[in-house]
Amino acid sequence: MYKNRHYKGIALLFIVIFSFVSCKKDLPETGSVLTASFSNNNGTLTAKGGQTVTIMGKNLLSSVQTPTVTLNAQHLYIAYLSNDSLKVVIPKLIGSGKIAITAGGQTYPGPEFIYQYVATVTTIAGTGDVGNNDGENKIATFNCPWGITADLNGDLYIADVYNRLIRKITAATNQVSSISFGSLDFDSPYNIALDTKKHDLYVTDFNIHLAKIASDGSQSVIYTGAATTTGIAFGPDGFLYMSNNNLGTILKLTPDGQTVTNFSSGIGTPRNIIFNSNNTMFVAGYNVATASAGIFQVDNTGNATFALPDKSFGGWEIAADTYGDFYEADHFNNVIRLIDPNGNAITIAGSGEAADVDGIGLSASFNGPQGLTIDSNGNLYVTTYNYNTKGGNKVRKIVVE
């Protein structure tokens, strides 16, 4: 038990270091508030989720209250505390930002912290050859897989563009099967959304149609327009939201397609539409005013704001996790990028080489990543296709920690 003592106004000194790094630098006093510094890795402090970070200081127990440590508005778990040091655990996917310690009623800012993401990439389906073979996922073949979505069982549904099929990867059996459109007045499937309650699928065709594949297997074209349909999402309000690539608009539709209204506009070349864990809409697109690709946020009245610019993003698709991170499938640069809650954009997977190679982080590679989704467990899935070489044709899984 800590002894109750009055805080004596002694300035708190602290420096953040890795538990395995011996290099540290004493901090000079600057009155009652000190600015922490760090001397390692060219002045950059990095750590992975689950690693322990040590804060060295003075008089950490001189306050009645236990010191608190925060990063990105989250309190870090203190695994060890003494008068001159404490150890905190970096939570999974907390992101980059400034570490701060509060003691004796005063907050002392620490150094800029860089979260070190670990993205493990594996191939879950596809040989890479062009084809439409069903069966065990490792021997199945695709021909330009694009849009992808996951249900609550972990099963994946994929728009197989040039095969004019919807492919299903059943998680329990690792089997790939096909759903054909038959003679339906519908072109090559492009993007795909799922009503997780009724298990109905909605598919755009990068032409003028929107098709519905009901859970009972019945199919129908529920919308025929006059311009290119691209992204499709089933909203938390029970309505469908569909983007138009040429017009830069988003339509709002009833699930039967009978009622269609204009919902949003002013989004350059919108692609897929997603809803994050707070049920806020986001759309991948391009902002002409700033000449930047990135992500638009759309409020419930349809007002679109260019919220997350990323000039390095070569398009097309996005996903969001429950930690506030956004992921981008960068087709032209053959990488997967991440934008954290503070707007920091980095590449977390992919060397840039146009090849599907499994691995960790930048040692992995992608051959034209395009469709992107995230399941209920936070796993990312990306489809690949290279329009120059006809390569790719795989479904990849990315576990980010």
Side-chain angles (χ1 to χ4, degrees), residues 19 21 33 64 79 159 175-176 245 285 303 335 373 379 385 395:
S19 58
V21 175
V33 178
V64 173
Q175 295 288 310
V176 178
N245 191 64
N303 180 54
V335 298
T373 195
N379 300 310
Y385 185 73
V395 180

Side-chain angles (χ1 to χ4, degrees), residues 92-117:
K92 175 183 176 181
L93 296 178
I94 193 171
S96 302
K98 281 189 175 295
I99 292 178
I101 183 170
T102 299
Q106 188 163 352
T107 298
Y108 301 86
E112 190 70 29
F113 171 80
I114 305 298
Y115 185 88
Q116 187 175 352
Y117 294 91

Side-chain angles (χ1 to χ4, degrees), residues 123-127 135-142 169 173-176:
T123 299
I124 65 165
T127 66
E136 203 269 328
N137 57 358
K138 293 183 179 179
I139 65 172
T141 53
F142 301 85
I169 303 176
T173 62
N174 292 324
Q175 295 288 310
V176 178

Side-chain angles (χ1 to χ4, degrees), residues 228-270:
T228 308
T229 58
T230 48
I232 184 69
F234 191 86
D237 56 1
F239 287 90
L240 294 168
Y241 293 88
M242 183 172 64
S243 59
N244 185 290
N245 191 64
N246 293 346
L247 300 179
T249 58
I250 297 175
L251 298 178
K252 181 177 181 179
L253 306 88
T254 52
D256 58 7
Q258 296 301 304
T259 303
V260 181
T261 58
N262 293 319
F263 179 69
S264 185
S265 61
I267 303 172
T269 60

Side-chain angles (χ1 to χ4, degrees), residues 191-347:
N191 223 311
I192 187 168
L194 174 69
D195 178 350
T196 56
K197 293 181 179 179
K198 295 184 177 180
H199 226 267
D200 297 331
L201 289 170
Y202 298 89
V203 189
T204 61
D205 66 357
F206 207 73
N207 195 335
I208 59 174
H209 305 110
L210 174 64
K212 178 179 180 178
I213 304 175
S215 57
D216 62 5
S218 61
Q219 300 180 7
S220 58
V221 173
I222 62 171
Y223 172 85
T224 300
T228 308
T229 58
T230 48
I232 184 69
F234 191 86
D237 56 1
F239 287 90
L240 294 168
Y241 293 88
M242 183 172 64
S243 59
N244 185 290
N245 191 64
N246 293 346
L247 300 179
T249 58
I250 297 175
L251 298 178
K252 181 177 181 179
L253 306 88
T254 52
D256 58 7
Q258 296 301 304
T259 303
V260 181
T261 58
N262 293 319
F263 179 69
S264 185
S265 61
I267 303 172
T269 60
R271 292 288 178 154
N272 73 320
I273 302 170
I274 64 171
F275 288 88
N276 71 355
S277 57
N278 294 323
N279 294 331
T280 302
M281 179 188 294
F282 293 89
V283 186
Y286 184 82
N287 185 17
V288 177
T290 60
S292 175
I295 302 173
F296 287 81
Q297 179 177 332
V298 184
D299 65 23
N300 56 13
T301 66
N303 180 54
T305 304
F306 192 54
L308 297 167
D310 183 6
K311 288 193 174 184
S312 297
F313 179 34
W316 286 300
E317 310 254 316
I318 60 172
D321 64 22
T322 57
Y323 298 93
D325 300 307
F326 288 85
Y327 301 89
E328 302 170 320
D330 192 327
H331 178 83
F332 293 101
N333 293 312
N334 297 304
V335 298
I336 304 299
R337 291 179 61 76
L338 177 146
I339 304 177
D340 71 15
N342 290 326
N344 302 302
I346 60 171
T347 296

